[in-house]
């Protein structure tokens, strides 16, 4: 039961974060707020500041090119997959 609640909580936060992503001159405000060092990518640490339950395993799954950082596209793809997973669960 606890695991399902944690998963649901993470999925809800991810869904809200993606819904909150707004385009402003080609930028993504929510992503940019998480990107504390403004390098254009997210690290595990940056994501965990917003989503403390975001795990290394989740990061590895989201990091499709394996470069150790998440681009806007990787983040959006991961969040979209989490939303779909929750709808199917």
């Amino acid at each position: 039961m606890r695991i399902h609640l944690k998963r649901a909580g993470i999925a809800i936060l991810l869904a809200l974060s993606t819904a909150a992503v707004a385009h402003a001159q080609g930028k993504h405000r929510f992503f940019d707020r998480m990107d504390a060092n403004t390098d254009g990518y997210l690290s595990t640490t940056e994501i965990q500041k917003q989503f403390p339950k975001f795990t290394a395993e989740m990061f590895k799954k989201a990091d499709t090119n394996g470069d150790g950082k998440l681009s806007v596209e990787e983040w959006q793809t991961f969040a979209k997959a989490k939303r779909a997973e929750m709808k199917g669960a």
Side-chain angles (χ1 to χ4, degrees):
M1 179 77 167
R2 272 192 170 155
I3 292 173
H4 288 18
L5 289 175
K6 285 181 182 178
R7 288 180 125 183
I10 289 171
I12 289 168
L13 289 173
L14 288 171
L16 290 174
S17 74
T18 320
V21 172
H23 297 277
Q25 299 174 354
K27 298 213 175 200
H28 305 277
R29 287 187 277 187
F30 186 78
F31 181 92
D32 291 344
R33 277 197 312 256
M34 287 195 300
D35 182 17
N37 65 359
T38 66
D39 67 351
Y41 297 95
L42 297 179
S43 66
T44 305
T45 305
E46 289 171 325
I47 296 169
Q48 287 175 339
K49 286 180 183 175
Q50 183 71 34
F51 303 107
K53 295 179 181 176
F54 191 84
T55 66
E57 181 180 312
M58 294 167 78
F59 188 88
K60 191 173 184 177
K61 183 176 180 179
D63 184 15
T64 57
N65 66 2
D67 65 356
K69 55 191 177 184
L70 298 186
S71 66
V72 170
E73 294 80 13
E74 286 172 320
W75 174 254
Q76 289 177 329
T77 300
F78 177 77
K80 184 178 178 180
K82 278 295 185 190
R83 277 197 320 271
E85 181 181 304
M86 287 308 299
K87 286 182 181 179

